[in-house]
């Protein structure tokens, strides 16, 4: 299943801000008629669609208006949104701004600005430690203003970490840089590191609850982080 594949993804991936590269990946999604999904209202609403047109020169894309009016209204109420697609063993996510109603060949459509960031991920690029039970973890970050959120670290690799967080009001968009994140693990000194978000998607928990699973890339690698990694991989 698509969600099973997504759960196996590595925590790091290829992030592109190049319009040419973004256009190439979007053209693939368009040509294959690949489904797109945008989770809204803390995961209570899902907008599902497909691309209709990409125009890098005029810096916009068109996608289907979907079949759910509540989902469409929720999308239009946002200044910016992240869309995900799962072709084969890949996870592709891009962010686009300015959704508005439009038409394409006489059909309702949604027009958005051309995406300024896109992440492609395949299966793990690094050896990874899955953490069972999941390790409680707190982020205290200053990314344009102090934010703090709790959750659980679910896997760890030399390149980054996977994390579940439960606050529906926190949006971790691909490319977001979280500076000065303090990773607080039981019985260990806190580790401060800069992290870059590589993907975020909703995950259904065994008890039926929902959480956001995000993958982060380590931007820097202080000695304390290296010691932490070595202790986990030595197990």
């Amino acid at each position: 299943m698509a969600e099973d594949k997504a759960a196996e993804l590595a925590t790091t991936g290829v992030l592109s801000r190049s319009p040419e590269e973004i256009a190439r990946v979007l053209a693939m999604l368009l040509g294959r008629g690949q489904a797109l999904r945008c989770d809204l209202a803390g995961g209570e609403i899902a907008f599902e669609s497909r691309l209709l047109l990409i125009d890098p020169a005029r810096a916009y894309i068109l996608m289907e208006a979907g079949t759910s009016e509540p989902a469409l209204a929720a999308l239009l109420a946002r200044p910016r949104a992240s869309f995900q697609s799962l072709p084969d063993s890949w996870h592709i996510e891009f962010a686009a701004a300015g959704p508005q109603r439009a038409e394409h060949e006489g059909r309702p459509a949604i027009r958005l600005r051309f995406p300024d960031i896109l992440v492609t991920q395949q299966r793990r690029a690094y050896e990874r430690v899955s953490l069972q039970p999941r390790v409680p973890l707190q982020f205290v970050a200053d990314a344009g203003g102090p934010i703090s959120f709790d959750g659980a670290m679910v896997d760890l690799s030399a390149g980054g970490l996977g994390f579940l967080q439960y606050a529906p009001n926190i949006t971790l968009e691909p490319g977001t840089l979280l500076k000065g994140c303090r990773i607080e693990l039981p019985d260990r000194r806190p580790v401060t590191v800069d992290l870059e978000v590589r993907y975020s998607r909703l995950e259904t928990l065994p008890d039926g609850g929902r959480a956001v699973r995000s993958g982060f890339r380590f931007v820097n690698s202080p000695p304390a982080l290296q010691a932490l990694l070595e202790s986990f991989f030595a197990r």
Side-chain angles (χ1 to χ4, degrees), residues 134 149-152 154 163-169 205 210-212:
R134 290 165 174 167
F149 51 96
D150 300 322
V154 294
F163 177 76
L164 284 179
Q165 63 97 357
Y166 311 99
N169 60 321
L205 303 176
R210 306 297 294 276
V212 176

Side-chain angles (χ1 to χ4, degrees), residues 23-48:
R24 184 187 69 80
V25 177
L26 293 182
M28 180 273 291
L29 296 178
L30 173 62
R32 295 174 62 164
Q34 195 70 41
L36 300 174
R37 179 186 175 101
C38 175
D39 291 308
L40 302 159
E44 297 299 319
I45 299 175
F47 174 78
E48 298 180 334

Side-chain angles (χ1 to χ4, degrees), residues 225-235:
L225 174 63
Q226 290 303 308
L228 177 67
L229 293 173
E230 289 172 6
S231 69
F232 271 96
F233 283 100
R235 294 181 179 182

Side-chain angles (χ1 to χ4, degrees), residues 198-218:
R198 284 308 174 103
Y199 73 87
S200 293
R201 67 171 289 112
L202 279 170
E203 183 168 296
T204 301
L205 303 176
D207 63 1
R210 306 297 294 276
V212 176
R213 181 187 177 111
S214 296
F216 298 88
R217 179 182 72 90
F218 295 128

